[in-house]
Amino acid sequence: GAGVSQSPSNKVTEKGKDVELRCDPISGHTALYWYRQSLGQGLEFLIYFQGNSAPDKSGLPSDRFSAERTGGSVSTLTIQRTQQEDSAVYLCASSLAATGTSGGSTDTQYFGPGTRLTVL
Amino acid sequence: TQLLEQSPQFLSIQEGENLTVYCNSSSVFSSLQWYRQEPGEGPVLLVTVVTGGEVKKLKRLTFQFGDARKDSSLHITAAQPGDTGLYLCAGYSYNFNKFYFGSGTKLNVKP
């Protein structure tokens, strides 16, 4: 079956503009995660969805960042008034959710290829 | 501040050599995972370890979870150029209810 897909694969924008990044998770996966990765570094957790709700938004760097998920499927990450420090690869992952609010301690997260965002 | 520290950050070795990558924390994790990421792609899960002291082998890769569940190691025997990539450890913390990723080890295996 299809894996996690993300669009666009690359986005170049000017400082101050808004951008929307899209994630299509694997069908049937109820948990969805957004991460940010800077130049070959580790992953920085941004936000996690269980269904359409986001129990954990603690990783969002500022109020310029927001995310939503509709129909328990597609998610969009929106960055308003982009800054140069927002330049990074934004990765989305999905997993089958275990019971509880955590999304599962051993659930396998399947990652998309990422969106490379460059803010000029 | 990184909850999971990986070492070394970079490793460049010749084909056929052995290597070990470490993932350390002062916190306890209920499970720990290792991922491998190639340029332009998302990380791919290699293994999950859940029991303190657990050792898992995957062909030439050996993964170990520390007894206290605060650290893990990945050992590669007879490295091959196809092993080149960014290796990431990730731990699940019940205390904080989320996954934490390490900073990564960039491995380059030269033919």
Side-chain angles (χ1 to χ4, degrees), chain A residues 41-111:
Chain A
Q41 304 268 321
L43 276 62
E44 175 189 2
F45 169 81
L46 297 178
I47 189 170
Y48 150 65
F49 285 92
Q50 175 70 36
N52 290 336
S53 64
D56 189 352
K57 303 180 183 179
S58 62
L60 294 176
S62 75
D63 58 9
R64 296 186 296 104
F65 287 72
S66 63
E68 64 174 16
R69 189 179 185 195
T70 54
S73 180
V74 171
S75 176
T76 54
L77 176 69
T78 302
I79 309 173
Q80 294 179 309
R81 304 180 303 282
T82 52
Q83 304 293 313
Q84 287 180 332
E85 61 262 28
D86 299 334
S87 295
V89 175
Y90 289 81
L91 289 160
C92 171
S94 70
S95 69
L96 288 168
T99 54
T101 60
S102 69
S105 65
T106 58
D107 280 353
T108 298
Q109 293 186 42
Y110 296 88
F111 283 84

Side-chain angles (χ1 to χ4, degrees), chain A residues 33 35 37 39-45 48 55-56 58-59 91 101-114 116, chain B residues 2 9 30-33 35 37 40-45 48-50 86 88 92 94 96-104 106:
Chain A
Y33 307 79
Y35 295 91
Q37 184 176 33
L39 204 57
Q41 304 268 321
L43 276 62
E44 175 189 2
F45 169 81
Y48 150 65
D56 189 352
S58 62
L91 289 160
T101 60
S102 69
S105 65
T106 58
D107 280 353
T108 298
Q109 293 186 42
Y110 296 88
F111 283 84
R116 181 175 295 278
Chain B
Q2 289 275 359
Q9 268 190 292
S30 59
S31 67
L32 204 133
Q33 300 179 326
Y35 291 81
Q37 184 180 22
E41 298 181 10
V44 175
L45 181 67
T48 301
V49 284
V50 298
L86 179 68
L88 295 157
Y92 182 80
Y94 271 127
F96 299 103
N97 201 23
K98 65 175 66 162
F99 280 101
Y100 289 90
F101 276 82
S103 50
K106 193 169 287 188

